[in-house]
């Protein structure tokens, strides 16, 4: 598992946790096609995160890091 804000840093969407927080709070992030505003949201393999029109498969990202 990984928290949403940590995931955004891992994939390079946000260089810092603070910036990840604002991206999430602005409603710019969807988890499984639902807007998510909780930065501590736990992500698991099988979840899909969409930001700026790009979708990331959490399982693939975690397995490759």
């Amino acid at each position: 598992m990984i928290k949403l804000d940590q995931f955004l840093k891992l994939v390079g969407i946000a260089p810092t946790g603070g910036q990840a927080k604002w991206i999430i709070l602005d409603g710019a992030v969807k988890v499984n096609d639902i807007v998510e505003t909780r930065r501590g949201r736990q992500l698991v393999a099988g979840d899909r995160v969409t930001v700026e029109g790009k979708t990331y498969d959490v399982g693939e990202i975690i397995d490759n890091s």
Side-chain angles (χ1 to χ4, degrees):
M1 288 198 304
I2 186 170
K3 291 193 303 183
L4 181 56
D5 59 349
Q6 294 172 335
F7 183 80
L8 295 183
K9 291 190 307 184
L10 179 66
V11 296
I13 296 293
T16 68
Q19 288 180 333
K21 172 185 172 180
W22 291 112
I23 292 169
I24 295 165
L25 289 176
D26 283 345
V29 179
K30 289 184 179 181
V31 176
N32 301 326
D33 298 320
I34 299 171
V35 173
E36 181 59 71
T37 57
R38 297 173 293 164
R39 70 186 229 191
R41 162 71 145 77
Q42 292 289 327
L43 302 173
V44 296
D47 284 339
R48 293 177 331 277
V49 176
T50 304
V51 185
E52 299 173 351
K54 185 167 181 182
T55 301
Y56 302 88
D57 183 296
V58 173
E60 287 181 14
I61 301 295
I62 292 173
D63 288 344
N64 291 327
S65 63

